[in-house]
Coordinates of all heavy atoms in Angstrom, one line a residue:
P1296 N -25.2 19.5 -5.6 CA -25.2 18.7 -4.5 C -25.7 19.6 -3.3 O -25.4 20.8 -3.4 CB -23.8 18.3 -4.2 CG -23.0 19.3 -5.0 CD -23.8 19.9 -6.1
T1297 N -26.4 19.1 -2.4 CA -26.8 19.9 -1.3 C -26.5 19.2 0.0 O -26.1 18.0 0.0 CB -28.4 20.2 -1.3 OG1 -29.0 18.8 -1.0 CG2 -28.9 20.6 -2.7
A1298 N -26.7 19.8 1.1 CA -26.4 19.2 2.4 C -27.3 18.0 2.7 O -26.9 17.2 3.5 CB -26.5 20.2 3.6
R1299 N -28.4 17.8 1.9 CA -29.3 16.7 2.1 C -28.5 15.4 1.6 O -28.8 14.3 2.0 CB -30.5 16.9 1.2 CG -31.6 17.7 1.6 CD -32.8 17.5 0.7 NE -32.6 18.0 -0.6 CZ -32.7 17.2 -1.6 NH1 -32.9 15.9 -1.6 NH2 -32.5 17.7 -2.8
H1300 N -27.6 15.5 0.7 CA -26.9 14.4 0.1 C -25.8 13.9 1.0 O -25.2 14.7 1.7 CB -26.5 14.8 -1.3 CG -27.6 15.1 -2.2 ND1 -27.7 16.3 -2.9 CD2 -28.6 14.3 -2.7 CE1 -28.7 16.2 -3.8 NE2 -29.3 15.0 -3.6
T1301 N -25.5 12.7 0.8 CA -24.4 12.0 1.5 C -23.1 12.4 1.0 O -23.1 13.0 -0.1 CB -24.6 10.5 1.4 OG1 -24.4 10.2 0.1 CG2 -25.8 9.9 2.0
F1302 N -22.1 12.1 1.7 CA -20.7 12.6 1.3 C -20.4 11.9 0.0 O -19.9 12.5 -0.9 CB -19.7 12.1 2.4 CG -18.3 12.4 2.2 CD1 -17.8 13.7 2.6 CD2 -17.4 11.6 1.5 CE1 -16.5 14.0 2.3 CE2 -16.2 12.0 1.2 CZ -15.7 13.3 1.6
E1303 N -20.7 10.7 -0.3 CA -20.4 10.0 -1.5 C -21.0 10.7 -2.7 O -20.4 10.9 -3.8 CB -20.9 8.6 -1.5 CG -20.1 7.6 -0.6 CD -20.7 7.5 0.8 OE1 -21.3 8.5 1.2 OE2 -20.7 6.4 1.3
T1304 N -22.3 11.1 -2.6 CA -23.0 11.8 -3.6 C -22.4 13.2 -3.9 O -22.2 13.6 -5.0 CB -24.5 12.0 -3.1 OG1 -25.0 10.6 -3.0 CG2 -25.3 12.7 -4.3
R1305 N -22.0 13.9 -2.7 CA -21.5 15.1 -3.0 C -20.1 15.1 -3.8 O -19.7 15.9 -4.4 CB -21.4 15.9 -1.7 CG -22.8 16.4 -1.3 CD -22.8 17.2 0.0 NE -22.5 16.4 1.2 CZ -21.7 16.8 2.1 NH1 -21.0 17.9 2.0 NH2 -21.5 16.0 3.1
A1306 N -19.3 14.0 -3.2 CA -18.0 13.8 -3.9 C -18.1 13.7 -5.4 O -17.3 14.1 -6.2 CB -17.3 12.5 -3.4
V1307 N -19.3 13.1 -6.0 CA -19.4 12.8 -7.4 C -19.9 14.2 -8.0 O -19.4 14.5 -9.1 CB -20.5 11.8 -7.6 CG1 -20.8 11.7 -9.1 CG2 -20.0 10.4 -7.2
H1308 N -20.8 14.9 -7.3 CA -21.4 16.1 -8.0 C -20.7 17.4 -7.7 O -20.9 18.4 -8.5 CB -22.9 16.2 -7.6 CG -23.6 15.1 -8.3 ND1 -24.2 15.2 -9.5 CD2 -23.9 13.8 -7.9 CE1 -24.8 14.1 -9.8 NE2 -24.7 13.2 -8.8
A1309 N -19.9 17.6 -6.6 CA -19.4 18.8 -6.3 C -18.5 19.4 -7.4 O -17.7 18.7 -8.1 CB -18.5 18.7 -4.9
A1371 N -15.1 22.1 -4.9 CA -15.4 20.7 -4.6 C -14.8 20.3 -3.3 O -15.3 19.7 -2.3 CB -15.2 19.7 -5.7
L1372 N -13.4 20.6 -3.2 CA -12.7 20.2 -2.0 C -13.2 20.9 -0.8 O -13.3 20.3 0.3 CB -11.2 20.4 -2.3 CG -10.2 19.7 -1.4 CD1 -9.7 20.5 -0.2 CD2 -10.7 18.3 -0.9
A1373 N -13.4 22.3 -1.0 CA -13.9 23.1 0.1 C -15.2 22.4 0.7 O -15.4 22.2 1.9 CB -14.2 24.4 -0.2
E1374 N -16.1 22.0 -0.2 CA -17.4 21.4 0.2 C -17.2 20.0 1.0 O -17.8 19.9 2.0 CB -18.2 21.2 -1.1 CG -19.4 20.2 -0.7 CD -20.5 20.4 -1.7 OE1 -20.5 21.3 -2.6 OE2 -21.5 19.6 -1.5
L1375 N -16.2 19.3 0.4 CA -16.1 18.0 1.1 C -15.3 18.2 2.5 O -15.6 17.3 3.3 CB -15.2 17.0 0.2 CG -15.8 16.7 -1.2 CD1 -15.0 15.7 -1.9 CD2 -17.3 16.1 -1.0
E1376 N -14.5 19.1 2.6 CA -13.9 19.3 3.9 C -14.8 20.2 4.8 O -14.4 20.4 6.0 CB -12.5 20.0 3.7 CG -11.4 19.1 3.3 CD -11.0 18.0 4.3 OE1 -11.5 18.1 5.4 OE2 -10.0 17.4 4.0
G1377 N -15.9 20.7 4.3 CA -16.8 21.5 5.2 C -16.3 22.8 5.5 O -16.4 23.3 6.6
N1479 N -4.3 16.8 6.3 CA -5.3 15.7 6.3 C -5.0 14.8 5.2 O -5.9 14.1 4.8 CB -6.6 16.4 6.2 CG -7.8 15.4 6.8 OD1 -7.6 14.7 7.7 ND2 -9.0 15.6 6.2
A1482 N -5.8 11.0 6.1 CA -7.1 10.6 6.4 C -8.0 10.9 5.3 O -9.0 10.1 5.0 CB -7.6 11.4 7.6
T1483 N -7.8 11.9 4.5 CA -8.8 12.4 3.5 C -10.1 12.8 4.1 O -10.4 12.3 5.2 CB -9.1 11.5 2.3 OG1 -10.1 10.5 2.7 CG2 -7.9 10.8 1.9
P1484 N -10.9 13.6 3.5 CA -12.1 14.0 4.2 C -13.1 12.8 4.3 O -14.2 13.0 5.0 CB -12.7 15.2 3.3 CG -12.0 15.0 2.0 CD -10.6 14.4 2.3
V1485 N -12.8 11.7 3.7 CA -13.7 10.6 3.8 C -13.7 10.1 5.2 O -14.7 9.6 5.8 CB -13.3 9.4 2.8 CG1 -14.1 8.2 3.0 CG2 -13.2 9.9 1.4
L1486 N -12.5 10.0 5.8 CA -12.4 9.5 7.2 C -12.3 10.5 8.3 O -12.6 10.3 9.5 CB -11.1 8.7 7.3 CG -11.0 7.5 6.4 CD1 -9.7 6.8 6.4 CD2 -12.1 6.4 6.6
Q1487 N -12.0 11.8 7.9 CA -11.8 12.9 8.9 C -11.9 14.2 8.4 O -11.3 14.5 7.4 CB -10.4 12.6 9.6 CG -9.9 13.7 10.5 CD -8.5 13.3 10.9 OE1 -8.5 12.6 11.9 NE2 -7.5 13.9 10.3
R1488 N -12.8 15.0 9.0 CA -12.9 16.5 8.5 C -12.4 17.4 9.6 O -13.3 17.8 10.5 CB -14.3 16.7 8.0 CG -14.6 16.0 6.7 CD -16.0 16.1 6.3 NE -17.0 15.4 7.0 CZ -17.3 14.1 6.9 NH1 -16.6 13.4 6.0 NH2 -18.2 13.5 7.7
E1491 N -14.4 20.2 11.4 CA -15.4 20.0 12.4 C -15.0 20.0 13.8 O -15.6 20.1 14.8 CB -16.0 18.6 12.1 CG -16.8 18.5 10.7 CD -17.3 17.2 10.3 OE1 -17.0 16.2 11.1 OE2 -17.9 17.0 9.2
H1499 N -3.7 19.5 2.1 CA -3.6 18.1 1.5 C -2.4 18.2 0.5 O -2.3 19.2 -0.2 CB -4.8 17.8 0.6 CG -6.0 17.3 1.3 ND1 -6.1 15.9 1.7 CD2 -7.0 18.0 1.9 CE1 -7.3 15.9 2.4 NE2 -7.8 17.1 2.6
L1505 N -6.3 12.4 -3.2 CA -7.2 13.1 -4.0 C -7.1 12.9 -5.5 O -8.1 12.6 -6.2 CB -7.0 14.7 -3.8 CG -7.1 15.1 -2.3 CD1 -7.2 16.6 -2.1 CD2 -8.4 14.5 -1.5
G1548 N -10.6 12.9 -9.5 CA -10.2 11.9 -8.6 C -11.2 12.0 -7.3 O -11.4 11.0 -6.6
L1549 N -11.7 13.2 -7.1 CA -12.7 13.4 -5.9 C -13.9 12.5 -6.1 O -14.5 12.0 -5.1 CB -13.1 14.8 -5.8 CG -12.1 15.8 -5.3 CD1 -12.7 17.2 -5.0 CD2 -11.4 15.4 -4.0
A1550 N -14.4 12.3 -7.3 CA -15.6 11.5 -7.5 C -15.4 10.2 -7.0 O -16.4 9.5 -6.5 CB -15.9 11.5 -9.0
T1551 N -14.3 9.5 -7.1 CA -14.0 8.2 -6.7 C -13.4 8.1 -5.4 O -13.2 6.9 -4.8 CB -13.2 7.4 -7.7 OG1 -12.0 8.1 -7.9 CG2 -14.0 7.2 -9.1
L1552 N -13.1 9.3 -4.7 CA -12.4 9.2 -3.4 C -12.9 8.4 -2.4 O -12.3 7.5 -1.8 CB -12.2 10.6 -2.9 CG -11.4 10.8 -1.6 CD1 -9.8 10.6 -1.9 CD2 -11.4 12.3 -1.2
P1553 N -14.3 8.5 -2.1 CA -14.9 7.6 -1.1 C -14.7 6.2 -1.3 O -14.4 5.3 -0.5 CB -16.4 8.0 -1.1 CG -16.3 9.5 -1.6 CD -15.3 9.5 -2.7
V1554 N -15.0 5.7 -2.6 CA -15.0 4.4 -2.9 C -13.6 3.8 -2.8 O -13.3 2.7 -2.2 CB -15.4 4.2 -4.3 CG1 -15.5 2.6 -4.8 CG2 -16.8 4.7 -4.6
V1556 N -11.0 5.1 -1.0 CA -10.5 5.1 0.4 C -11.1 4.0 1.2 O -10.4 3.3 2.0 CB -10.7 6.4 1.1 CG1 -10.4 6.4 2.5 CG2 -9.8 7.5 0.4
M1557 N -12.4 3.7 0.9 CA -13.1 2.8 1.9 C -12.6 1.3 1.3 O -12.4 0.5 2.2 CB -14.6 2.8 1.7 CG -15.1 4.1 2.4 SD -14.5 4.5 3.9 CE -15.0 3.3 4.9

Side-chain angles (χ1 to χ4, degrees):
T1297 70
R1299 278 188 299 118
H1300 292 122
T1301 59
F1302 185 86
E1303 289 92 327
T1304 301
R1305 287 185 287 133
V1307 171
H1308 288 271
L1372 195 270
E1374 166 158 356
L1375 297 184
E1376 284 289 5
N1479 205 29
T1483 82
V1485 177
L1486 299 174
Q1487 166 181 280
R1488 290 178 285 280
E1491 290 172 1
H1499 285 270
L1505 305 189
L1549 291 184
T1551 54
L1552 182 70
V1554 181
V1556 169
M1557 293 320 291

